[in-house]
Amino acid sequence: MNSEPNQAAASLAALRAENRTRMYARAFWGLMVRDAHVLKREFVPFLSRTLMQPLLFVFVFAYLFPKIGQGFGGAAAAGAATAAGRATFATILLPGLMAVAIILQGIAAVALPLAVEFGGTREIEDRVMAPLPVAAVAFEKIVFSSFQSIIAASVVFPLAYYIPAQPVAVHINNWPLLIVIVILSSLTAGALGLTIGTAVKPQQIGLVFSMILVPLTFLGCVYYPWASLSVVRWLQVGVLLNPLVYISEGLRTCLTPNLPHLPTWGILLALVISGSILTLVGMRGFLRRVIS
Amino acid sequence: MSVAIHIERLVKVFGGTHEVRAVDHIDLQVPQGEIFGLLGPNGAGKTTTVGVCTTRVLPTDGRVLVHGVDVVSDPPRARKSIGVVTQHNTLDRACTAWDNIYFHCRYFGMPHTVARARADELLTQFRLGERARSLPGQLSGGMVQRLQLARALAHRPRVLFLDEPTAGLDPQSRLALWELVAGMRQSGVTVLLTTHYMEEADRLCDRVAIIDHGKILVCGPPAELKRGLGAQTVLALQLDPPSQELATTLRQLPGVTQVEVTATGLRLFASSRDGLIPRVAEAAQSYNLRDIAITEPTLETVFISLTGRELRE
């Protein structure tokens, strides 16, 4: 007797849930379309900020220095060489520069605009008023920034591959793993951007580069494989706190597997853990900033 | 008629080093289609009340329903039926005027073609068609507010919240915005606006709640609130110095309902004007009378008679 109204109530609830999911999905998609529109309009500045640093880096250290005969990177290359045969500094550098490009997008695409919006313009308020949970607005930032990271990594690859004077040894044996690592890395970078963007005041923006980005990259196994740090053991352990290490090493695993690198399972686990923690912290920061 | 906004025992306390009770037990019901005003000085709790109604501020206690949807337990669904214009420019700086409306529509689930048509329609309606491709930074203050209003209406909300919509606007832009808000009466949209301009509340609102220190002091149609003073005329006397003794004397005059001492003199409320001014002038002669100003009672005088302070103090 009772089952009919119960069924009706259940189907009504199911319908509501479906409508709600559709409402959220559409709003989320709307946010993505907006970000894509803005990126399209600002594609040239986006490309130049993405390309300039790796372009000059590769040109000076992997093209000019070998031509001049200066031995920069020789020790690292030699260290790697003992473990992996003939690896050039350019080979070490390729995954590293892609990792930097990925992390830099997280900061440039999420942290900087957010800090400005929270600090002064408050223009985020309209997006916060969209009909979806506020945490989803924050998550959209991470997702969209990860697309930018993927584009950035893709445009840095040919630079780091073709410009160096020395041969670059790239072997991609496991495409699915490469895709997984790139996606996880990009999401982690976006989450890091969200955490930074919601934590710093706009007047501290300058410090983000000097106090966060510079130490992250210099101690992020970008210019040397993690294994070669064994000569300075405390540093080798210490840098494991740096999420960029797993991005660099992850790309090294996939692109230059002949170089020594961290175990794959460890990289995946660390990326998932650091990505999740940064996402949670970033979302909490975002909620704190928009809801009082 | 259904209730559009239902506010029940609303309390908001901001923590921190100095605890601030911004909203202190507010109860309010706004029926659908009404233009309702929250009138009060800066810091009275108007913006916080609107903040709770629009899901951006979490209440300490009490609850708010917008068309039956609890704004705390289901913010996304509540946001579906509300539009917001804040006193700040929250336009998307990276997007043109047209884009601002178009993307707002997309957030609310409209497909591309519908959103495009809506953006065109609203820009024309709000006389911004020629500025469709301008960035927010290139628009004047009045245009910015018109665009924010157009954007707030883009998803056809049933309730519109306007938080100090004309603050900082020049008189001409203010009048233009008033016209637009008054025009909403036809569309059946419920409007809750906050303001500290008594003229704005008087001209636009069906009902007004006067709010101070987080509490509602009175609530009703503007005409009723003014009648409630029991005064038809308000005299402001400039004296040097203000005199308590004269206030006592004036209270004895026929028709005088209330006399207050202010910073610059006295304020006198009277039920009738007949023969009042000569009598007041005569009584005040020996008290250094500098000036007498006669006004009709306004919502400002209602506020003054309730709190003893001026709205813009």
Side-chain angles (χ1 to χ4, degrees), chain A residues 20 23 27 34 37 41 121-123 125-126 128-130 132 291-292, chain B residues 54-58 74 79-80 88-89 91-94 99 104 107:
Chain A
R20 184 177 290 271
M23 179 169 87
R34 180 261 172 202
H37 174 81
R41 245 203 10 228
T121 65
R122 307 197 196 199
E123 55 194 298
E125 272 190 29
D126 185 50
V128 168
M129 290 306 294
L132 77 169
I291 309 272
S292 48
Chain B
T54 55
T55 74
R56 291 166 307 147
V57 176
L58 286 175
D74 196 352
R79 289 200 279 266
K80 190 95 181 155
H88 313 283
N89 176 351
L91 293 173
D92 195 335
R93 309 293 199 279
D99 291 341
H104 182 91
Y107 305 157

PDB file of all heavy atoms in Angstrom, chain A residues 20 23 27 34 37 41 121-123 125-126 128-130 132 291-292, chain B residues 54-58 74 79-80 88-89 91-94 99 104 107:
ATOM      1  N   ARG A  20      19.827  18.708 -10.199  1.00  0.00           N
ATOM      2  CA  ARG A  20      20.884  19.386  -9.466  1.00  0.00           C
ATOM      3  C   ARG A  20      22.232  19.120 -10.123  1.00  0.00           C
ATOM      4  O   ARG A  20      23.021  20.030 -10.350  1.00  0.00           O
ATOM      5  CB  ARG A  20      20.884  18.897  -8.016  1.00  0.00           C
ATOM      6  CG  ARG A  20      21.875  19.603  -7.132  1.00  0.00           C
ATOM      7  CD  ARG A  20      21.758  19.102  -5.724  1.00  0.00           C
ATOM      8  NE  ARG A  20      20.524  19.539  -5.092  1.00  0.00           N
ATOM      9  CZ  ARG A  20      20.398  20.691  -4.422  1.00  0.00           C
ATOM     10  NH1 ARG A  20      21.428  21.484  -4.306  1.00  0.00           N
ATOM     11  NH2 ARG A  20      19.269  21.017  -3.863  1.00  0.00           N
ATOM     12  N   MET A  23      22.468  21.150 -13.126  1.00  0.00           N
ATOM     13  CA  MET A  23      22.675  22.570 -12.799  1.00  0.00           C
ATOM     14  C   MET A  23      24.156  22.820 -12.470  1.00  0.00           C
ATOM     15  O   MET A  23      24.758  23.767 -12.982  1.00  0.00           O
ATOM     16  CB  MET A  23      21.782  22.932 -11.597  1.00  0.00           C
ATOM     17  CG  MET A  23      21.895  24.347 -11.107  1.00  0.00           C
ATOM     18  SD  MET A  23      20.568  24.746  -9.921  1.00  0.00           S
ATOM     19  CE  MET A  23      21.312  24.208  -8.381  1.00  0.00           C
ATOM     20  N   ALA A  27      26.912  24.960 -14.753  1.00  0.00           N
ATOM     21  CA  ALA A  27      27.608  26.111 -14.178  1.00  0.00           C
ATOM     22  C   ALA A  27      29.117  25.905 -14.273  1.00  0.00           C
ATOM     23  O   ALA A  27      29.865  26.816 -14.641  1.00  0.00           O
ATOM     24  CB  ALA A  27      27.187  26.299 -12.724  1.00  0.00           C
ATOM     25  N   ARG A  34      34.255  30.419 -19.833  1.00  0.00           N
ATOM     26  CA  ARG A  34      34.726  31.789 -19.551  1.00  0.00           C
ATOM     27  C   ARG A  34      36.258  31.814 -19.498  1.00  0.00           C
ATOM     28  O   ARG A  34      36.895  32.686 -20.094  1.00  0.00           O
ATOM     29  CB  ARG A  34      34.114  32.260 -18.222  1.00  0.00           C
ATOM     30  CG  ARG A  34      34.522  33.659 -17.803  1.00  0.00           C
ATOM     31  CD  ARG A  34      35.636  33.590 -16.794  1.00  0.00           C
ATOM     32  NE  ARG A  34      36.183  34.913 -16.499  1.00  0.00           N
ATOM     33  CZ  ARG A  34      37.401  35.089 -16.009  1.00  0.00           C
ATOM     34  NH1 ARG A  34      38.183  34.066 -15.796  1.00  0.00           N
ATOM     35  NH2 ARG A  34      37.846  36.294 -15.754  1.00  0.00           N
ATOM     36  N   HIS A  37      37.759  31.450 -22.874  1.00  0.00           N
ATOM     37  CA  HIS A  37      37.608  32.692 -23.639  1.00  0.00           C
ATOM     38  C   HIS A  37      38.701  33.697 -23.267  1.00  0.00           C
ATOM     39  O   HIS A  37      39.330  34.310 -24.123  1.00  0.00           O
ATOM     40  CB  HIS A  37      36.220  33.267 -23.360  1.00  0.00           C
ATOM     41  CG  HIS A  37      35.988  34.612 -23.962  1.00  0.00           C
ATOM     42  ND1 HIS A  37      35.641  34.767 -25.285  1.00  0.00           N
ATOM     43  CD2 HIS A  37      36.055  35.854 -23.434  1.00  0.00           C
ATOM     44  CE1 HIS A  37      35.512  36.053 -25.540  1.00  0.00           C
ATOM     45  NE2 HIS A  37      35.751  36.739 -24.434  1.00  0.00           N
ATOM     46  N   ARG A  41      41.963  35.039 -25.579  1.00  0.00           N
ATOM     47  CA  ARG A  41      42.268  36.441 -25.849  1.00  0.00           C
ATOM     48  C   ARG A  41      43.662  36.827 -25.395  1.00  0.00           C
ATOM     49  O   ARG A  41      44.291  37.717 -25.934  1.00  0.00           O
ATOM     50  CB  ARG A  41      41.233  37.334 -25.165  1.00  0.00           C
ATOM     51  CG  ARG A  41      40.428  38.087 -26.171  1.00  0.00           C
ATOM     52  CD  ARG A  41      39.799  39.344 -25.633  1.00  0.00           C
ATOM     53  NE  ARG A  41      40.252  39.728 -24.330  1.00  0.00           N
ATOM     54  CZ  ARG A  41      39.441  40.067 -23.337  1.00  0.00           C
ATOM     55  NH1 ARG A  41      38.157  40.055 -23.527  1.00  0.00           N
ATOM     56  NH2 ARG A  41      39.922  40.420 -22.164  1.00  0.00           N
ATOM     57  N   THR A 121      39.775  43.714  -6.389  1.00  0.00           N
ATOM     58  CA  THR A 121      38.676  43.884  -7.329  1.00  0.00           C
ATOM     59  C   THR A 121      37.412  43.123  -6.953  1.00  0.00           C
ATOM     60  O   THR A 121      36.328  43.492  -7.368  1.00  0.00           O
ATOM     61  CB  THR A 121      39.108  43.455  -8.741  1.00  0.00           C
ATOM     62  OG1 THR A 121      39.374  42.056  -8.715  1.00  0.00           O
ATOM     63  CG2 THR A 121      40.344  44.194  -9.185  1.00  0.00           C
ATOM     64  N   ARG A 122      37.531  42.055  -6.204  1.00  0.00           N
ATOM     65  CA  ARG A 122      36.377  41.240  -5.779  1.00  0.00           C
ATOM     66  C   ARG A 122      35.555  40.735  -6.948  1.00  0.00           C
ATOM     67  O   ARG A 122      34.376  40.438  -6.800  1.00  0.00           O
ATOM     68  CB  ARG A 122      35.435  42.041  -4.875  1.00  0.00           C
ATOM     69  CG  ARG A 122      36.115  42.682  -3.718  1.00  0.00           C
ATOM     70  CD  ARG A 122      35.088  43.054  -2.713  1.00  0.00           C
ATOM     71  NE  ARG A 122      35.620  43.991  -1.752  1.00  0.00           N
ATOM     72  CZ  ARG A 122      35.079  44.211  -0.591  1.00  0.00           C
ATOM     73  NH1 ARG A 122      33.996  43.571  -0.249  1.00  0.00           N
ATOM     74  NH2 ARG A 122      35.609  45.070   0.245  1.00  0.00           N
ATOM     75  N   GLU A 123      36.163  40.676  -8.127  1.00  0.00           N
ATOM     76  CA  GLU A 123      35.374  40.280  -9.289  1.00  0.00           C
ATOM     77  C   GLU A 123      35.019  38.802  -9.250  1.00  0.00           C
ATOM     78  O   GLU A 123      34.165  38.362  -9.997  1.00  0.00           O
ATOM     79  CB  GLU A 123      36.094  40.636 -10.588  1.00  0.00           C
ATOM     80  CG  GLU A 123      37.477  40.079 -10.684  1.00  0.00           C
ATOM     81  CD  GLU A 123      38.259  40.725 -11.819  1.00  0.00           C
ATOM     82  OE1 GLU A 123      37.826  40.567 -12.948  1.00  0.00           O
ATOM     83  OE2 GLU A 123      39.283  41.362 -11.555  1.00  0.00           O
ATOM     84  N   GLU A 125      33.333  37.513  -7.143  1.00  0.00           N
ATOM     85  CA  GLU A 125      32.019  37.371  -6.507  1.00  0.00           C
ATOM     86  C   GLU A 125      30.934  36.895  -7.464  1.00  0.00           C
ATOM     87  O   GLU A 125      30.053  36.146  -7.082  1.00  0.00           O
ATOM     88  CB  GLU A 125      31.591  38.691  -5.854  1.00  0.00           C
ATOM     89  CG  GLU A 125      32.107  38.791  -4.436  1.00  0.00           C
ATOM     90  CD  GLU A 125      31.507  39.961  -3.673  1.00  0.00           C
ATOM     91  OE1 GLU A 125      30.374  40.342  -3.972  1.00  0.00           O
ATOM     92  OE2 GLU A 125      32.193  40.469  -2.781  1.00  0.00           O
ATOM     93  N   ASP A 126      31.004  37.328  -8.712  1.00  0.00           N
ATOM     94  CA  ASP A 126      29.962  36.895  -9.644  1.00  0.00           C
ATOM     95  C   ASP A 126      30.040  35.400  -9.893  1.00  0.00           C
ATOM     96  O   ASP A 126      29.028  34.726  -9.996  1.00  0.00           O
ATOM     97  CB  ASP A 126      30.072  37.652 -10.972  1.00  0.00           C
ATOM     98  CG  ASP A 126      28.916  37.297 -11.891  1.00  0.00           C
ATOM     99  OD1 ASP A 126      27.765  37.365 -11.416  1.00  0.00           O
ATOM    100  OD2 ASP A 126      29.140  36.933 -13.052  1.00  0.00           O
ATOM    101  N   VAL A 128      31.300  33.253  -7.787  1.00  0.00           N
ATOM    102  CA  VAL A 128      30.911  32.602  -6.538  1.00  0.00           C
ATOM    103  C   VAL A 128      29.384  32.524  -6.427  1.00  0.00           C
ATOM    104  O   VAL A 128      28.836  31.627  -5.803  1.00  0.00           O
ATOM    105  CB  VAL A 128      31.518  33.378  -5.343  1.00  0.00           C
ATOM    106  CG1 VAL A 128      30.915  32.938  -4.032  1.00  0.00           C
ATOM    107  CG2 VAL A 128      33.021  33.178  -5.318  1.00  0.00           C
ATOM    108  N   MET A 129      28.697  33.468  -7.086  1.00  0.00           N
ATOM    109  CA  MET A 129      27.235  33.476  -7.033  1.00  0.00           C
ATOM    110  C   MET A 129      26.601  32.551  -8.069  1.00  0.00           C
ATOM    111  O   MET A 129      25.389  32.514  -8.217  1.00  0.00           O
ATOM    112  CB  MET A 129      26.706  34.908  -7.239  1.00  0.00           C
ATOM    113  CG  MET A 129      26.977  35.860  -6.083  1.00  0.00           C
ATOM    114  SD  MET A 129      26.390  35.249  -4.506  1.00  0.00           S
ATOM    115  CE  MET A 129      24.633  35.260  -4.813  1.00  0.00           C
ATOM    116  N   ALA A 130      27.412  31.821  -8.811  1.00  0.00           N
ATOM    117  CA  ALA A 130      26.869  30.860  -9.772  1.00  0.00           C
ATOM    118  C   ALA A 130      26.223  29.700  -9.005  1.00  0.00           C
ATOM    119  O   ALA A 130      26.622  29.409  -7.881  1.00  0.00           O
ATOM    120  CB  ALA A 130      27.989  30.355 -10.679  1.00  0.00           C
ATOM    121  N   LEU A 132      26.338  26.694  -8.088  1.00  0.00           N
ATOM    122  CA  LEU A 132      27.041  25.446  -7.781  1.00  0.00           C
ATOM    123  C   LEU A 132      27.804  25.672  -6.479  1.00  0.00           C
ATOM    124  O   LEU A 132      27.999  26.821  -6.073  1.00  0.00           O
ATOM    125  CB  LEU A 132      27.968  25.010  -8.921  1.00  0.00           C
ATOM    126  CG  LEU A 132      29.317  25.677  -9.153  1.00  0.00           C
ATOM    127  CD1 LEU A 132      30.114  24.878 -10.159  1.00  0.00           C
ATOM    128  CD2 LEU A 132      29.172  27.088  -9.614  1.00  0.00           C
ATOM    129  N   ILE A 291      33.392  33.389   1.865  1.00  0.00           N
ATOM    130  CA  ILE A 291      32.238  33.304   2.770  1.00  0.00           C
ATOM    131  C   ILE A 291      32.683  33.795   4.136  1.00  0.00           C
ATOM    132  O   ILE A 291      33.665  33.309   4.672  1.00  0.00           O
ATOM    133  CB  ILE A 291      31.743  31.848   2.901  1.00  0.00           C
ATOM    134  CG1 ILE A 291      31.518  31.227   1.538  1.00  0.00           C
ATOM    135  CG2 ILE A 291      30.506  31.777   3.797  1.00  0.00           C
ATOM    136  CD1 ILE A 291      30.174  31.415   0.925  1.00  0.00           C
ATOM    137  N   SER A 292      31.959  34.796   4.681  1.00  0.00           N
ATOM    138  CA  SER A 292      32.366  35.288   6.003  1.00  0.00           C
ATOM    139  C   SER A 292      31.346  34.876   7.049  1.00  0.00           C
ATOM    140  O   SER A 292      30.245  34.500   6.734  1.00  0.00           O
ATOM    141  CB  SER A 292      32.541  36.793   5.994  1.00  0.00           C
ATOM    142  OG  SER A 292      31.434  37.421   5.393  1.00  0.00           O
TER     143      SER A 292
ATOM    144  N   THR B  54      22.126  36.391   0.469  1.00  0.00           N
ATOM    145  CA  THR B  54      22.706  36.036  -0.825  1.00  0.00           C
ATOM    146  C   THR B  54      23.804  34.986  -0.688  1.00  0.00           C
ATOM    147  O   THR B  54      24.663  34.866  -1.563  1.00  0.00           O
ATOM    148  CB  THR B  54      23.268  37.288  -1.530  1.00  0.00           C
ATOM    149  OG1 THR B  54      24.197  37.925  -0.658  1.00  0.00           O
ATOM    150  CG2 THR B  54      22.182  38.266  -1.879  1.00  0.00           C
ATOM    151  N   THR B  55      23.811  34.265   0.404  1.00  0.00           N
ATOM    152  CA  THR B  55      24.680  33.095   0.657  1.00  0.00           C
ATOM    153  C   THR B  55      26.165  33.423   0.804  1.00  0.00           C
ATOM    154  O   THR B  55      26.988  32.522   0.762  1.00  0.00           O
ATOM    155  CB  THR B  55      24.560  32.010  -0.443  1.00  0.00           C
ATOM    156  OG1 THR B  55      25.232  32.465  -1.633  1.00  0.00           O
ATOM    157  CG2 THR B  55      23.118  31.701  -0.785  1.00  0.00           C
ATOM    158  N   ARG B  56      26.493  34.684   0.983  1.00  0.00           N
ATOM    159  CA  ARG B  56      27.919  34.995   1.107  1.00  0.00           C
ATOM    160  C   ARG B  56      28.371  35.185   2.541  1.00  0.00           C
ATOM    161  O   ARG B  56      29.559  35.277   2.819  1.00  0.00           O
ATOM    162  CB  ARG B  56      28.265  36.227   0.276  1.00  0.00           C
ATOM    163  CG  ARG B  56      28.178  35.965  -1.218  1.00  0.00           C
ATOM    164  CD  ARG B  56      28.187  37.247  -1.974  1.00  0.00           C
ATOM    165  NE  ARG B  56      27.159  38.141  -1.475  1.00  0.00           N
ATOM    166  CZ  ARG B  56      27.268  39.451  -1.443  1.00  0.00           C
ATOM    167  NH1 ARG B  56      28.354  40.034  -1.856  1.00  0.00           N
ATOM    168  NH2 ARG B  56      26.285  40.185  -0.978  1.00  0.00           N
ATOM    169  N   VAL B  57      27.412  35.285   3.443  1.00  0.00           N
ATOM    170  CA  VAL B  57      27.742  35.411   4.867  1.00  0.00           C
ATOM    171  C   VAL B  57      26.975  34.312   5.606  1.00  0.00           C
ATOM    172  O   VAL B  57      25.776  34.120   5.355  1.00  0.00           O
ATOM    173  CB  VAL B  57      27.330  36.795   5.406  1.00  0.00           C
ATOM    174  CG1 VAL B  57      27.590  36.892   6.900  1.00  0.00           C
ATOM    175  CG2 VAL B  57      28.062  37.912   4.674  1.00  0.00           C
ATOM    176  N   LEU B  58      27.688  33.582   6.467  1.00  0.00           N
ATOM    177  CA  LEU B  58      27.018  32.532   7.231  1.00  0.00           C
ATOM    178  C   LEU B  58      26.451  33.126   8.511  1.00  0.00           C
ATOM    179  O   LEU B  58      27.172  33.775   9.263  1.00  0.00           O
ATOM    180  CB  LEU B  58      28.007  31.415   7.573  1.00  0.00           C
ATOM    181  CG  LEU B  58      28.409  30.490   6.421  1.00  0.00           C
ATOM    182  CD1 LEU B  58      29.474  29.520   6.897  1.00  0.00           C
ATOM    183  CD2 LEU B  58      27.208  29.749   5.868  1.00  0.00           C
ATOM    184  N   ASP B  74      21.106  25.044   1.426  1.00  0.00           N
ATOM    185  CA  ASP B  74      21.171  24.783  -0.017  1.00  0.00           C
ATOM    186  C   ASP B  74      21.510  26.052  -0.809  1.00  0.00           C
ATOM    187  O   ASP B  74      20.699  26.555  -1.583  1.00  0.00           O
ATOM    188  CB  ASP B  74      19.836  24.200  -0.491  1.00  0.00           C
ATOM    189  CG  ASP B  74      19.948  23.554  -1.875  1.00  0.00           C
ATOM    190  OD1 ASP B  74      21.018  23.697  -2.508  1.00  0.00           O
ATOM    191  OD2 ASP B  74      18.973  22.932  -2.315  1.00  0.00           O
ATOM    192  N   ARG B  79      20.755  30.472  -4.864  1.00  0.00           N
ATOM    193  CA  ARG B  79      21.378  31.426  -5.795  1.00  0.00           C
ATOM    194  C   ARG B  79      20.678  31.435  -7.144  1.00  0.00           C
ATOM    195  O   ARG B  79      20.716  32.425  -7.875  1.00  0.00           O
ATOM    196  CB  ARG B  79      22.867  31.083  -5.987  1.00  0.00           C
ATOM    197  CG  ARG B  79      23.699  31.389  -4.763  1.00  0.00           C
ATOM    198  CD  ARG B  79      25.173  31.505  -5.103  1.00  0.00           C
ATOM    199  NE  ARG B  79      25.824  30.215  -5.208  1.00  0.00           N
ATOM    200  CZ  ARG B  79      26.478  29.606  -4.226  1.00  0.00           C
ATOM    201  NH1 ARG B  79      26.584  30.189  -3.055  1.00  0.00           N
ATOM    202  NH2 ARG B  79      27.051  28.448  -4.404  1.00  0.00           N
ATOM    203  N   LYS B  80      20.061  30.306  -7.470  1.00  0.00           N
ATOM    204  CA  LYS B  80      19.346  30.202  -8.743  1.00  0.00           C
ATOM    205  C   LYS B  80      18.238  31.270  -8.830  1.00  0.00           C
ATOM    206  O   LYS B  80      17.943  31.778  -9.901  1.00  0.00           O
ATOM    207  CB  LYS B  80      18.740  28.797  -8.835  1.00  0.00           C
ATOM    208  CG  LYS B  80      18.182  28.438 -10.171  1.00  0.00           C
ATOM    209  CD  LYS B  80      19.184  27.675 -11.011  1.00  0.00           C
ATOM    210  CE  LYS B  80      18.570  27.366 -12.372  1.00  0.00           C
ATOM    211  NZ  LYS B  80      19.546  27.172 -13.404  1.00  0.00           N
ATOM    212  N   HIS B  88      30.217  47.294  -4.546  1.00  0.00           N
ATOM    213  CA  HIS B  88      31.512  47.288  -5.230  1.00  0.00           C
ATOM    214  C   HIS B  88      31.303  46.894  -6.682  1.00  0.00           C
ATOM    215  O   HIS B  88      30.345  46.218  -7.015  1.00  0.00           O
ATOM    216  CB  HIS B  88      32.449  46.270  -4.594  1.00  0.00           C
ATOM    217  CG  HIS B  88      32.479  46.341  -3.125  1.00  0.00           C
ATOM    218  ND1 HIS B  88      33.167  47.320  -2.463  1.00  0.00           N
ATOM    219  CD2 HIS B  88      31.875  45.599  -2.186  1.00  0.00           C
ATOM    220  CE1 HIS B  88      32.989  47.150  -1.177  1.00  0.00           C
ATOM    221  NE2 HIS B  88      32.211  46.125  -0.974  1.00  0.00           N
ATOM    222  N   ASN B  89      32.255  47.269  -7.495  1.00  0.00           N
ATOM    223  CA  ASN B  89      32.245  46.838  -8.880  1.00  0.00           C
ATOM    224  C   ASN B  89      32.799  45.422  -8.930  1.00  0.00           C
ATOM    225  O   ASN B  89      33.991  45.204  -8.779  1.00  0.00           O
ATOM    226  CB  ASN B  89      33.103  47.803  -9.699  1.00  0.00           C
ATOM    227  CG  ASN B  89      33.236  47.375 -11.128  1.00  0.00           C
ATOM    228  OD1 ASN B  89      32.832  46.269 -11.500  1.00  0.00           O
ATOM    229  ND2 ASN B  89      33.804  48.237 -11.943  1.00  0.00           N
ATOM    230  N   LEU B  91      32.348  43.459 -11.601  1.00  0.00           N
ATOM    231  CA  LEU B  91      32.369  43.024 -13.001  1.00  0.00           C
ATOM    232  C   LEU B  91      33.682  42.308 -13.293  1.00  0.00           C
ATOM    233  O   LEU B  91      34.722  42.640 -12.727  1.00  0.00           O
ATOM    234  CB  LEU B  91      32.216  44.240 -13.927  1.00  0.00           C
ATOM    235  CG  LEU B  91      30.864  44.948 -13.874  1.00  0.00           C
ATOM    236  CD1 LEU B  91      30.915  46.226 -14.700  1.00  0.00           C
ATOM    237  CD2 LEU B  91      29.746  44.050 -14.368  1.00  0.00           C
ATOM    238  N   ASP B  92      33.591  41.336 -14.181  1.00  0.00           N
ATOM    239  CA  ASP B  92      34.748  40.554 -14.586  1.00  0.00           C
ATOM    240  C   ASP B  92      35.651  41.446 -15.448  1.00  0.00           C
ATOM    241  O   ASP B  92      35.311  41.762 -16.587  1.00  0.00           O
ATOM    242  CB  ASP B  92      34.239  39.346 -15.387  1.00  0.00           C
ATOM    243  CG  ASP B  92      35.296  38.284 -15.556  1.00  0.00           C
ATOM    244  OD1 ASP B  92      36.486  38.640 -15.499  1.00  0.00           O
ATOM    245  OD2 ASP B  92      34.933  37.118 -15.741  1.00  0.00           O
ATOM    246  N   ARG B  93      36.807  41.852 -14.894  1.00  0.00           N
ATOM    247  CA  ARG B  93      37.664  42.823 -15.579  1.00  0.00           C
ATOM    248  C   ARG B  93      38.286  42.278 -16.852  1.00  0.00           C
ATOM    249  O   ARG B  93      38.701  43.026 -17.721  1.00  0.00           O
ATOM    250  CB  ARG B  93      38.802  43.291 -14.659  1.00  0.00           C
ATOM    251  CG  ARG B  93      38.380  43.776 -13.299  1.00  0.00           C
ATOM    252  CD  ARG B  93      37.586  45.069 -13.389  1.00  0.00           C
ATOM    253  NE  ARG B  93      37.576  45.748 -12.100  1.00  0.00           N
ATOM    254  CZ  ARG B  93      36.772  45.444 -11.077  1.00  0.00           C
ATOM    255  NH1 ARG B  93      35.890  44.470 -11.200  1.00  0.00           N
ATOM    256  NH2 ARG B  93      36.816  46.093  -9.932  1.00  0.00           N
ATOM    257  N   ALA B  94      38.376  40.941 -16.943  1.00  0.00           N
ATOM    258  CA  ALA B  94      39.004  40.351 -18.126  1.00  0.00           C
ATOM    259  C   ALA B  94      38.023  40.211 -19.277  1.00  0.00           C
ATOM    260  O   ALA B  94      38.397  39.775 -20.357  1.00  0.00           O
ATOM    261  CB  ALA B  94      39.598  38.988 -17.767  1.00  0.00           C
ATOM    262  N   ASP B  99      30.423  40.238 -22.699  1.00  0.00           N
ATOM    263  CA  ASP B  99      30.879  38.961 -22.126  1.00  0.00           C
ATOM    264  C   ASP B  99      30.382  38.787 -20.699  1.00  0.00           C
ATOM    265  O   ASP B  99      30.036  37.682 -20.283  1.00  0.00           O
ATOM    266  CB  ASP B  99      32.418  38.906 -22.094  1.00  0.00           C
ATOM    267  CG  ASP B  99      33.023  38.803 -23.477  1.00  0.00           C
ATOM    268  OD1 ASP B  99      32.301  38.418 -24.403  1.00  0.00           O
ATOM    269  OD2 ASP B  99      34.228  39.118 -23.610  1.00  0.00           O
ATOM    270  N   HIS B 104      27.646  35.181 -17.471  1.00  0.00           N
ATOM    271  CA  HIS B 104      26.739  35.047 -16.332  1.00  0.00           C
ATOM    272  C   HIS B 104      25.582  34.108 -16.712  1.00  0.00           C
ATOM    273  O   HIS B 104      25.222  33.218 -15.951  1.00  0.00           O
ATOM    274  CB  HIS B 104      26.213  36.423 -15.916  1.00  0.00           C
ATOM    275  CG  HIS B 104      25.307  36.390 -14.738  1.00  0.00           C
ATOM    276  ND1 HIS B 104      25.762  36.528 -13.442  1.00  0.00           N
ATOM    277  CD2 HIS B 104      23.966  36.206 -14.650  1.00  0.00           C
ATOM    278  CE1 HIS B 104      24.738  36.436 -12.618  1.00  0.00           C
ATOM    279  NE2 HIS B 104      23.638  36.248 -13.317  1.00  0.00           N
ATOM    280  N   TYR B 107      26.762  30.569 -16.727  1.00  0.00           N
ATOM    281  CA  TYR B 107      26.872  29.985 -15.379  1.00  0.00           C
ATOM    282  C   TYR B 107      25.508  29.464 -14.923  1.00  0.00           C
ATOM    283  O   TYR B 107      25.410  28.499 -14.190  1.00  0.00           O
ATOM    284  CB  TYR B 107      27.363  31.006 -14.337  1.00  0.00           C
ATOM    285  CG  TYR B 107      28.658  31.705 -14.659  1.00  0.00           C
ATOM    286  CD1 TYR B 107      28.963  32.941 -14.099  1.00  0.00           C
ATOM    287  CD2 TYR B 107      29.599  31.133 -15.514  1.00  0.00           C
ATOM    288  CE1 TYR B 107      30.144  33.602 -14.395  1.00  0.00           C
ATOM    289  CE2 TYR B 107      30.778  31.789 -15.823  1.00  0.00           C
ATOM    290  CZ  TYR B 107      31.042  33.026 -15.266  1.00  0.00           C
ATOM    291  OH  TYR B 107      32.201  33.685 -15.563  1.00  0.00           O
TER     292      TYR B 107
END
